[in-house]
Amino acid sequence: MEFPEETPAAPKPITVKQLVYRLRDTVSIAVGTQWVVGELSNVKHHTSGHVHFTLKEQGAEIFCAFFKAAASKCPIRLQEGMKVHVLGSATVYPDRGQLQLVIRQVKAAGQGDLQTRFLELKAKLQREGLFDAEHKKKIPTFPRAIGIVTSPTGAVIQDIRHVLERRAPWVKAYLLPVRVQGAGAEHEIAAAVRAWSGAPFNGLPPVDVLIVGRGGGSIEDLWNFNEETVARAIYECTVPVISAVGHDTDFTIADFAADLRAPTPTAAAELATPDGPEWLRKLSRMEQALHASARHSLLRSKLKLDVYLRGKLLDAYSLLSPYSQRLDDMEETLQNAATTRVFHNTLHINKLEHQLQMRHPAHRNRERTQLLASLQAGLSHAAAARMTDLSSQLTLIQARLEAHSPEQTLRRGYALVENQDKQLIRQTNQVHAGEKLKIRVSDGCFYVRDDTPQ
């Protein structure tokens, strides 16, 4: 038979508060009050007078609370990147269980490494003219499209979109997402700015203004916007650039190189766009003022005209009377000239119409028909006369022919003798003995035989 193994009794548990307070007492006793040297980061000045910041060096950092009673005696204003000596007591903040230093005194110890790099690069680029005002491009008052270079996540892009929807919903917003923190993020930011500068050849839609930025953070979080490659990309960009990095108290090299610096991304969206509702109100007021001014001007002009007409009506008639008579004369002269001109034009038109009718094919056909009829009549008359002449001549010739014809000769007692070959016998040697001859007289013919001996 096996017996269960006995376990020692567990100690009585303590509460979280008891644990935190033990840690606080332990830290306070073990460390106590100590001078610490480090670099300031995430410095926040509260309206209450308290100052909170992080004291850091490479590979380590600690949260610090500088309360109003001690902070009000500090001879320097604490800023990002400052290197300081602080006198503080190590403790644990019970509400968060957070280790911190409660600062009693602060002395400047020179600039931190990041702050030194910041000032050196700023001085270098300033000597080259990258921050000069004459190079700053004007932000358009009424942009149609805005390019945004920031992280696709987080509140920045949402804040910008909300501002655009509220102020200028007609403006198109295009996001080119990049990393805004971490190693190599500055190259992504610079490449995005250059891509917008070369739009649309880089496949991006053209924009009128560019917003480059991110939300707040420590000097380390914002450091990518302090790199030289980002500053030069912004300076060389052909599109106006608004920088919106961090909060109002944060300044980066990108802010100095940009054409306009906005304290926050939300403010950048407001600076990049007109206030649509306010412009509508302004236009409405201007329209009302214009209508009122026009009505007032018309009323004054009407009153002046009424006064002038009432006071100068008789003078106006006397002044206009000669011109009215001259107008009547001119009207009569014009009417006479018009009548004369119309008469001459009518004559000219009638002449042209007559000439046109004379040249009309129908008229020419009638002329040709009449000429043809005349020629036909003449030809008929000439033919008849010719026929009469020829008939008379024929009658005469016929009479002559009949007078000399054999028939007429036969009537006078002559006869014609023909042989059997129907040849006329003119001589005796033409007749053979016993040949039958045909004798033709005026009323007929008869036959005889020649019996004359040979």
Side-chain angles (χ1 to χ4, degrees), residues 263-279:
T264 62
T266 301
E270 294 177 348
L271 292 172
T273 57
D275 190 345
E278 179 60 26
W279 271 100

Side-chain angles (χ1 to χ4, degrees), residues 239-354:
V239 179
V241 178
I242 300 177
S243 66
V245 183
H247 300 298
D248 191 14
T249 57
D250 298 321
F251 280 88
T252 63
I253 299 297
D255 295 328
F256 296 106
D259 299 296
L260 181 65
R261 185 232 175 206
T264 62
T266 301
E270 294 177 348
L271 292 172
T273 57
D275 190 345
E278 179 60 26
W279 271 100
L280 289 177
R281 288 189 291 269
K282 287 182 180 179
L283 291 175
S284 178
R285 291 194 296 269
M286 292 172 63
E287 182 181 14
Q288 294 174 3
L290 183 61
H291 284 308
S293 177
R295 286 194 299 269
H296 181 67
S297 178
L298 289 174
L299 180 60
R300 290 181 57 189
S301 299
K302 183 177 182 301
L303 292 175
K304 289 182 179 180
L305 182 60
D306 291 341
V307 172
Y308 178 79
L309 292 177
R310 286 196 299 270
K312 300 296 182 179
L313 189 57
L314 295 177
D315 293 340
Y317 285 144
S318 62
L319 289 173
L320 293 176
S321 179
Y323 294 102
S324 176
Q325 185 175 358
R326 184 181 302 176
L327 181 62
D328 293 338
D329 294 340
M330 293 176 65
E331 183 179 3
E332 183 177 359
T333 302
L334 181 61
Q335 289 178 351
N336 293 335
T339 303
T340 303
R341 185 61 180 268
V342 169
F343 175 75
H344 288 297
N345 288 340
T346 303
L347 291 179
H348 183 65
I349 290 173
N350 292 336
K351 181 181 178 181
L352 293 177
E353 185 178 3
H354 178 70

Side-chain angles (χ1 to χ4, degrees), residues 128-138 235 237 257-259:
E128 295 183 17
L130 267 69
F131 306 153
D132 292 348
E134 57 266 25
H135 296 307
K136 304 295 184 183
K137 293 178 284 296
K138 183 180 179 181
Y235 173 76
C237 185
D259 299 296

